[in-house]
Amino acid sequence: MASTTFSGPVTSTNGFIGALTGNVTGNIAGSGSTTHATTSAINATATATAAEVATGYITSTSVGTVTITLPTGTLLGAALSAVKGTIFDLYVDNTAGASVVTVAVATNGILSSGAADTPGSFGDLTIAAGATGLARFTLMFSSATAYVFTRTA
């Protein structure tokens, strides 16, 4: 079988055959799981760096309340090579923490209407400590420098 290199998104109406090799990042539709080779630990109130968010998985083990502010849309867009239509999932793991973690957006980070209108579900930016302390957030880029932010799990 021949090898082909692509730059940019690739889609198929009939699925893909064979193994993925090389540098594969992000979510693979239909794979049923996501593995993060690296994670970032944020254990005190801070603004996360674009590199920390780009890992896709942030942990917190703090005994005190933590607020994680996401980087600006410009910084995060550059770190993810985002363009209009880029979708990125961010997981926050507070299962080993002893207090809540709250996520906040910065300049050019916009809460989705679902997040703004229904704060008890899609707008819940607080992650409990302990066994239920996991959350998934989806960032959808409306341009290379701005994203819409929603809690999706």
Side-chain angles (χ1 to χ4, degrees), residues 92-101 124 126-135 151:
V92 178
D93 182 344
N94 192 30
T95 56
S99 192
V100 299
V101 171
D124 190 359
T126 301
I127 301 105
T132 60
L134 292 169
R151 182 170 182 165

Side-chain angles (χ1 to χ4, degrees), residues 96-125:
S99 192
V100 299
V101 171
T102 302
V103 180
V105 296
T107 304
N108 292 338
I110 303 154
L111 291 179
S112 70
S113 62
D117 297 341
T118 54
S121 57
F122 291 108
D124 190 359
L125 304 180

Side-chain angles (χ1 to χ4, degrees), residues 8-11 16 20 23-38 53-57 80 85-92 135-141 150 152-153:
V10 178
T11 60
F16 295 99
L20 296 173
N23 296 322
V24 179
T25 59
N27 299 329
I28 300 171
S31 69
S33 66
T34 301
T35 302
H36 294 88
T38 58
V53 174
T55 67
Y57 202 96
L80 297 173
T86 297
I87 297 173
F88 179 78
D89 285 336
L90 171 64
Y91 298 84
V92 178
R136 179 183 68 209
F137 299 94
T138 299
L139 292 79
M140 298 172 285
F141 283 81
T150 303
T152 51

Side-chain angles (χ1 to χ4, degrees), residues 48-55 70-82 86 88 90 107-109 139 141 143-147 149:
T49 67
E52 288 171 326
V53 174
T55 67
L70 298 180
T72 66
T74 300
L75 292 173
L76 193 52
L80 297 173
S81 300
T86 297
F88 179 78
L90 171 64
T107 304
N108 292 338
L139 292 79
F141 283 81
S143 72
T145 60
Y147 60 87
F149 186 76

